Coordinates of all heavy atoms in Angstrom, one line a residue:
P45 N 3.8 45.2 14.6 CA 2.4 44.7 14.7 C 1.7 45.0 13.5 O 1.9 46.0 12.8 CB 1.9 45.5 15.9 CG 3.1 46.0 16.7 CD 4.1 46.2 15.6
T46 N 0.9 44.1 13.1 CA 0.1 44.2 11.9 C -1.0 45.4 12.1 O -1.2 45.8 13.2 CB -0.7 42.9 11.5 OG1 -1.6 42.6 12.6 CG2 0.3 41.8 11.3
L47 N -1.6 45.7 11.0 CA -2.7 46.7 11.1 C -3.9 46.0 11.8 O -4.2 44.8 11.5 CB -3.2 47.1 9.7 CG -2.1 47.9 8.9 CD1 -2.3 47.8 7.4 CD2 -2.1 49.4 9.3
H48 N -4.5 46.7 12.7 CA -5.7 46.1 13.4 C -6.8 45.9 12.4 O -7.0 46.8 11.5 CB -6.1 47.1 14.5 CG -7.2 46.5 15.4 ND1 -8.5 46.4 15.1 CD2 -7.1 45.8 16.5 CE1 -9.2 45.8 16.0 NE2 -8.3 45.4 17.0
G49 N -7.5 44.9 12.5 CA -8.6 44.6 11.5 C -9.6 45.6 11.3 O -9.9 46.0 10.2
N50 N -10.0 46.3 12.5 CA -11.0 47.3 12.4 C -10.4 48.5 11.6 O -11.1 49.2 10.8 CB -11.4 47.8 13.8 CG -12.1 46.7 14.5 OD1 -11.7 45.6 14.6 ND2 -13.2 47.1 15.1
A51 N -9.1 48.8 11.9 CA -8.5 50.0 11.2 C -8.3 49.8 9.7 O -8.6 50.7 9.0 CB -7.1 50.3 11.9
I52 N -7.8 48.6 9.4 CA -7.6 48.4 7.9 C -9.0 48.3 7.2 O -9.0 48.7 6.0 CB -6.7 47.1 7.6 CG1 -6.3 47.0 6.2 CG2 -7.4 45.8 8.1 CD1 -5.4 48.1 5.7
H53 N -10.0 47.8 7.8 CA -11.3 47.8 7.2 C -11.8 49.3 7.0 O -12.3 49.6 5.9 CB -12.3 47.1 8.1 CG -13.6 46.9 7.5 ND1 -14.8 46.8 8.2 CD2 -14.0 46.7 6.2 CE1 -15.8 46.6 7.4 NE2 -15.4 46.5 6.2
T54 N -11.5 50.2 7.9 CA -11.8 51.5 7.7 C -11.0 52.2 6.6 O -11.5 53.0 5.8 CB -11.7 52.3 9.0 OG1 -12.6 51.7 10.0 CG2 -12.0 53.8 8.9
I55 N -9.7 51.9 6.6 CA -8.8 52.4 5.6 C -9.3 51.9 4.2 O -9.3 52.6 3.2 CB -7.4 52.0 5.8 CG1 -6.8 52.7 7.0 CG2 -6.5 52.2 4.6 CD1 -5.5 52.2 7.5
E56 N -9.8 50.6 4.1 CA -10.2 50.1 2.9 C -11.5 51.0 2.4 O -11.5 51.3 1.3 CB -10.7 48.7 3.1 CG -11.4 48.0 1.9 CD -12.1 46.8 2.1 OE1 -12.3 46.4 3.3 OE2 -12.6 46.2 1.2
H57 N -12.4 51.2 3.3 CA -13.6 52.0 2.9 C -13.2 53.4 2.5 O -13.7 53.9 1.4 CB -14.5 52.1 4.1 CG -15.4 50.9 4.3 ND1 -16.8 51.0 4.3 CD2 -15.1 49.6 4.5 CE1 -17.3 49.8 4.4 NE2 -16.3 48.9 4.6
L58 N -12.3 54.0 3.2 CA -12.0 55.4 2.9 C -11.2 55.6 1.6 O -11.5 56.4 0.8 CB -11.2 56.0 4.1 CG -12.0 56.3 5.4 CD1 -11.1 56.7 6.5 CD2 -13.2 57.2 5.1
V59 N -10.1 54.7 1.4 CA -9.3 54.9 0.3 C -10.0 54.4 -0.9 O -9.9 55.0 -2.0 CB -7.9 54.1 0.5 CG1 -7.1 54.2 -0.8 CG2 -7.2 54.8 1.7
A60 N -10.8 53.3 -0.8 CA -11.5 52.9 -2.0 C -12.5 53.9 -2.5 O -12.7 54.2 -3.7 CB -12.3 51.6 -1.7
T61 N -13.2 54.6 -1.5 CA -14.1 55.7 -1.8 C -13.4 56.8 -2.5 O -13.8 57.3 -3.5 CB -14.8 56.2 -0.6 OG1 -15.6 55.1 -0.1 CG2 -15.7 57.4 -0.8
F62 N -12.2 57.2 -1.9 CA -11.4 58.2 -2.5 C -11.0 57.9 -4.0 O -11.2 58.7 -4.9 CB -10.1 58.5 -1.7 CG -9.2 59.5 -2.3 CD1 -9.4 60.8 -2.1 CD2 -8.2 59.1 -3.1 CE1 -8.6 61.8 -2.6 CE2 -7.3 60.0 -3.8 CZ -7.5 61.4 -3.5
L63 N -10.4 56.7 -4.2 CA -9.9 56.3 -5.5 C -11.0 56.3 -6.6 O -10.8 56.7 -7.7 CB -9.2 55.0 -5.4 CG -7.9 54.9 -4.7 CD1 -7.4 53.5 -4.4 CD2 -6.8 55.7 -5.4
R64 N -12.2 55.8 -6.1 CA -13.3 55.6 -7.0 C -14.0 57.0 -7.4 O -14.9 57.1 -8.2 CB -14.3 54.7 -6.5 CG -13.7 53.3 -6.3 CD -14.4 52.3 -7.2 NE -13.9 51.0 -7.0 CZ -13.4 50.2 -8.0 NH1 -13.5 50.6 -9.2 NH2 -12.9 49.0 -7.7
N65 N -13.6 58.1 -6.6 CA -14.1 59.4 -6.9 C -13.0 60.3 -7.5 O -13.3 61.5 -7.8 CB -14.7 60.0 -5.6 CG -16.1 59.4 -5.3 OD1 -17.0 59.8 -5.8 ND2 -16.1 58.4 -4.5
D66 N -11.7 59.9 -7.5 CA -10.6 60.7 -8.0 C -10.8 60.9 -9.5 O -10.9 59.9 -10.2 CB -9.4 60.1 -7.6 CG -8.2 61.0 -8.1 OD1 -7.9 62.0 -7.3 OD2 -7.6 60.7 -9.1
P67 N -10.8 62.1 -10.0 CA -11.0 62.3 -11.4 C -10.0 61.6 -12.3 O -10.4 61.1 -13.4 CB -10.9 63.8 -11.6 CG -11.2 64.4 -10.3 CD -10.7 63.4 -9.3
E68 N -8.8 61.5 -11.9 CA -7.7 60.9 -12.7 C -7.8 59.4 -12.6 O -7.5 58.7 -13.6 CB -6.4 61.4 -12.3 CG -5.3 60.8 -13.1 CD -3.9 61.2 -12.6 OE1 -3.8 62.0 -11.7 OE2 -2.8 60.7 -13.1
W69 N -8.1 58.8 -11.4 CA -8.0 57.4 -11.1 C -9.2 56.6 -11.1 O -9.2 55.3 -11.1 CB -7.1 57.2 -9.8 CG -5.7 57.6 -10.1 CD1 -5.1 58.8 -9.9 CD2 -4.7 56.7 -10.6 NE1 -3.9 58.8 -10.3 CE2 -3.6 57.5 -10.7 CE3 -4.6 55.4 -11.1 CZ2 -2.3 57.0 -11.3 CZ3 -3.5 54.9 -11.5 CH2 -2.3 55.7 -11.7
K70 N -10.4 57.2 -11.1 CA -11.6 56.5 -10.8 C -11.9 55.5 -12.0 O -12.4 54.4 -11.7 CB -12.8 57.4 -10.7 CG -13.2 58.2 -11.9 CD -14.4 59.1 -11.6 CE -14.8 60.0 -12.8 NZ -15.9 60.8 -12.5
D71 N -11.5 55.8 -13.2 CA -11.7 54.8 -14.3 C -10.6 53.8 -14.5 O -10.7 52.9 -15.2 CB -11.9 55.6 -15.6 CG -13.3 56.4 -15.6 OD1 -14.2 55.9 -14.9 OD2 -13.3 57.5 -16.2
K72 N -9.5 54.1 -13.8 CA -8.3 53.2 -13.9 C -8.4 52.2 -12.7 O -7.7 51.1 -12.7 CB -7.0 54.0 -13.8 CG -6.8 54.9 -15.0 CD -5.5 55.8 -14.7 CE -5.4 56.9 -15.7 NZ -4.2 57.7 -15.5
T73 N -9.1 52.5 -11.6 CA -9.0 51.6 -10.4 C -9.9 50.4 -10.7 O -11.0 50.5 -11.0 CB -9.6 52.4 -9.2 OG1 -8.7 53.5 -9.0 CG2 -9.6 51.5 -8.0
V74 N -9.3 49.2 -10.5 CA -10.0 48.0 -10.6 C -10.3 47.5 -9.1 O -11.4 47.0 -8.9 CB -9.1 46.9 -11.3 CG1 -9.7 45.5 -11.2 CG2 -8.8 47.3 -12.7
Y75 N -9.4 47.6 -8.2 CA -9.6 47.1 -6.9 C -8.7 47.7 -5.9 O -7.5 48.0 -6.2 CB -9.3 45.5 -6.9 CG -9.4 44.9 -5.5 CD1 -10.6 44.6 -4.9 CD2 -8.2 44.6 -4.8 CE1 -10.6 44.0 -3.6 CE2 -8.2 44.0 -3.6 CZ -9.5 43.7 -3.0 OH -9.5 43.1 -1.7
W76 N -9.2 47.9 -4.7 CA -8.4 48.4 -3.5 C -8.8 47.5 -2.3 O -10.0 47.5 -2.1 CB -8.6 49.9 -3.2 CG -8.0 50.3 -1.9 CD1 -8.6 50.2 -0.7 CD2 -6.6 50.6 -1.6 NE1 -7.7 50.6 0.3 CE2 -6.5 50.9 -0.3 CE3 -5.6 50.8 -2.5 CZ2 -5.3 51.3 0.3 CZ3 -4.3 51.3 -1.9 CH2 -4.2 51.4 -0.5
G77 N -7.9 46.9 -1.7 CA -8.3 46.1 -0.5 C -7.2 45.6 0.3 O -6.0 45.6 -0.2
P78 N -7.3 45.1 1.5 CA -6.3 44.7 2.4 C -5.7 43.3 2.0 O -6.3 42.5 1.4 CB -7.0 44.6 3.8 CG -8.5 44.3 3.4 CD -8.7 45.0 2.1
M79 N -4.4 43.2 2.4 CA -3.7 41.9 2.3 C -4.2 41.0 3.4 O -4.5 41.5 4.5 CB -2.2 42.1 2.4 CG -1.6 43.0 1.3 SD 0.1 43.2 1.7 CE 0.7 44.1 0.3
G80 N -4.1 39.8 3.2 CA -4.5 38.8 4.2 C -3.6 38.9 5.4 O -4.1 38.6 6.5
C81 N -2.3 39.2 5.2 CA -1.4 39.3 6.4 C -1.5 40.6 7.2 O -0.9 40.8 8.2 CB 0.0 39.2 5.9 SG 0.5 40.5 4.7
L82 N -2.4 41.5 6.8 CA -2.7 42.8 7.4 C -1.4 43.7 7.5 O -1.4 44.4 8.5 CB -3.4 42.5 8.8 CG -4.7 41.8 8.7 CD1 -5.3 41.6 10.1 CD2 -5.7 42.5 7.8
T83 N -0.6 43.6 6.6 CA 0.6 44.5 6.6 C 0.5 45.6 5.5 O 1.4 46.4 5.3 CB 1.9 43.8 6.4 OG1 1.9 43.1 5.2 CG2 2.1 42.8 7.6
G84 N -0.6 45.6 4.8 CA -0.8 46.6 3.7 C -2.1 46.3 2.8 O -2.9 45.4 3.3
C85 N -2.1 46.9 1.7 CA -3.2 46.7 0.8 C -2.7 46.5 -0.6 O -1.5 46.8 -1.0 CB -4.0 48.0 0.8 SG -4.9 48.3 2.3
Y86 N -3.6 45.9 -1.5 CA -3.4 45.8 -2.9 C -4.2 46.9 -3.6 O -5.3 47.1 -3.3 CB -3.7 44.4 -3.4 CG -2.8 43.4 -2.9 CD1 -3.2 42.3 -2.1 CD2 -1.5 43.3 -3.4 CE1 -2.3 41.4 -1.6 CE2 -0.6 42.3 -2.9 CZ -1.1 41.4 -2.1 OH -0.2 40.4 -1.7
F87 N -3.5 47.5 -4.6 CA -4.1 48.5 -5.5 C -4.0 48.0 -6.9 O -2.8 47.8 -7.4 CB -3.4 49.8 -5.3 CG -4.0 51.0 -6.1 CD1 -5.3 51.0 -6.5 CD2 -3.2 51.9 -6.6 CE1 -5.8 52.1 -7.2 CE2 -3.6 53.0 -7.3 CZ -4.9 53.1 -7.7
I88 N -5.1 47.5 -7.6 CA -5.0 47.0 -8.9 C -5.6 48.0 -9.8 O -6.7 48.6 -9.6 CB -5.8 45.7 -9.0 CG1 -5.3 44.7 -7.9 CG2 -5.7 45.1 -10.3 CD1 -6.0 43.4 -7.8
V89 N -4.8 48.3 -10.9 CA -5.2 49.4 -11.8 C -5.1 48.9 -13.2 O -4.3 48.0 -13.6 CB -4.4 50.7 -11.7 CG1 -4.5 51.2 -10.2 CG2 -2.9 50.4 -11.9
K90 N -5.9 49.5 -14.1 CA -5.8 49.3 -15.5 C -4.5 50.0 -16.0 O -4.2 51.0 -15.5 CB -7.0 49.9 -16.2 CG -8.3 49.3 -15.9 CD -9.4 50.0 -16.6 CE -10.8 49.5 -16.2 NZ -11.9 50.4 -16.7
G91 N -3.8 49.4 -17.0 CA -2.6 50.0 -17.5 C -1.4 49.5 -16.9 O -1.4 48.6 -16.1
R92 N -0.3 50.2 -17.1 CA 1.0 49.8 -16.6 C 1.7 51.0 -16.0 O 2.8 51.4 -16.4 CB 1.8 49.2 -17.7 CG 3.1 48.6 -17.2 CD 3.3 47.2 -17.7 NE 4.4 46.6 -17.0 CZ 5.4 46.0 -17.5 NH1 5.5 45.9 -18.8 NH2 6.3 45.5 -16.7
P93 N 1.1 51.7 -15.0 CA 1.8 52.8 -14.4 C 2.9 52.3 -13.5 O 2.9 51.1 -13.1 CB 0.7 53.5 -13.5 CG -0.3 52.5 -13.3 CD -0.2 51.6 -14.4
T94 N 3.9 53.1 -13.2 CA 5.0 52.7 -12.3 C 4.6 53.0 -10.9 O 3.7 53.9 -10.6 CB 6.3 53.4 -12.7 OG1 6.1 54.9 -12.5 CG2 6.7 53.2 -14.1
P95 N 5.3 52.5 -9.9 CA 5.1 52.9 -8.5 C 5.3 54.4 -8.3 O 4.5 55.1 -7.6 CB 6.2 52.2 -7.7 CG 6.4 50.9 -8.5 CD 6.3 51.4 -9.9
Q96 N 6.3 55.0 -9.0 CA 6.5 56.5 -9.0 C 5.3 57.3 -9.5 O 5.0 58.3 -9.0 CB 7.7 56.9 -9.8 CG 9.0 56.3 -9.1 CD 9.4 54.9 -9.7 OE1 8.6 54.2 -10.1 NE2 10.7 54.5 -9.4
E97 N 4.6 56.7 -10.5 CA 3.4 57.3 -11.1 C 2.2 57.3 -10.2 O 1.3 58.2 -10.2 CB 3.1 56.8 -12.5 CG 4.2 57.2 -13.5 CD 4.0 56.5 -14.8 OE1 3.6 55.3 -14.9 OE2 4.3 57.2 -15.9
I98 N 2.1 56.3 -9.4 CA 0.9 56.2 -8.4 C 1.2 56.8 -7.1 O 0.3 57.1 -6.3 CB 0.5 54.7 -8.2 CG1 1.4 53.9 -7.4 CG2 0.1 54.0 -9.5 CD1 0.7 52.8 -6.7
L99 N 2.5 57.2 -6.9 CA 2.8 57.9 -5.6 C 1.9 59.1 -5.3 O 1.4 59.2 -4.2 CB 4.3 58.2 -5.5 CG 4.8 59.0 -4.3 CD1 4.5 58.1 -3.0 CD2 6.3 59.3 -4.4
P100 N 1.7 60.0 -6.3 CA 0.9 61.2 -5.9 C -0.5 60.9 -5.5 O -1.0 61.4 -4.6 CB 1.0 62.0 -7.2 CG 2.2 61.6 -7.9 CD 2.4 60.1 -7.6
V101 N -1.1 59.9 -6.2 CA -2.5 59.5 -5.8 C -2.5 58.8 -4.4 O -3.5 59.0 -3.6 CB -3.3 58.7 -6.9 CG1 -2.7 57.3 -7.0 CG2 -4.7 58.8 -6.6
M102 N -1.5 58.0 -4.1 CA -1.5 57.4 -2.8 C -1.2 58.4 -1.7 O -1.9 58.3 -0.6 CB -0.3 56.4 -2.8 CG -0.6 55.1 -3.5 SD -1.9 54.1 -2.8 CE -3.3 54.5 -3.9
I103 N -0.5 59.4 -2.0 CA -0.3 60.5 -1.0 C -1.6 61.2 -0.8 O -2.1 61.4 0.4 CB 0.8 61.5 -1.4 CG1 2.2 60.9 -1.3 CG2 0.7 62.8 -0.6 CD1 3.3 61.7 -1.9
R104 N -2.4 61.6 -1.9 CA -3.7 62.2 -1.7 C -4.7 61.3 -1.0 O -5.5 61.8 -0.1 CB -4.2 62.6 -3.1 CG -3.4 63.8 -3.7 CD -4.1 64.4 -4.9 NE -4.8 63.5 -5.8 CZ -4.2 62.9 -6.9 NH1 -2.9 63.1 -7.1 NH2 -5.0 62.1 -7.7
A105 N -4.7 60.0 -1.3 CA -5.6 59.1 -0.7 C -5.4 58.9 0.8 O -6.3 58.9 1.6 CB -5.5 57.7 -1.3
F106 N -4.1 58.8 1.2 CA -3.8 58.7 2.6 C -3.9 60.0 3.4 O -4.2 60.0 4.5 CB -2.4 58.0 2.8 CG -2.5 56.5 2.7 CD1 -2.4 55.9 1.4 CD2 -2.8 55.7 3.8 CE1 -2.5 54.5 1.3 CE2 -3.0 54.4 3.7 CZ -2.8 53.7 2.4
E107 N -3.7 61.1 2.7 CA -4.1 62.4 3.3 C -5.6 62.5 3.6 O -6.0 62.9 4.7 CB -3.7 63.6 2.5 CG -2.2 63.8 2.5 CD -1.7 64.9 1.5 OE1 -2.4 65.2 0.5 OE2 -0.6 65.4 1.7

Side-chain angles (χ1 to χ4, degrees):
T46 62
L47 295 155
H48 189 277
N50 295 49
I52 191 63
H53 189 210
T54 301
I55 290 169
E56 174 194 11
H57 278 238
L58 293 174
V59 175
T61 299
F62 176 86
L63 292 169
R64 300 243 181 229
N65 284 279
D66 183 80
E68 180 184 359
W69 288 92
K70 67 181 180 181
D71 294 329
K72 298 176 190 175
T73 298
V74 174
Y75 174 78
W76 169 269
M79 296 175 178
C81 62
L82 300 179
T83 62
C85 292
Y86 288 114
F87 180 34
I88 303 174
V89 300
K90 296 174 187 174
R92 189 134 192 226
T94 65
Q96 294 87 341
E97 291 171 326
I98 71 158
L99 178 60
V101 73
M102 286 294 99
I103 289 172
R104 291 193 319 272
F106 279 88
E107 285 174 340

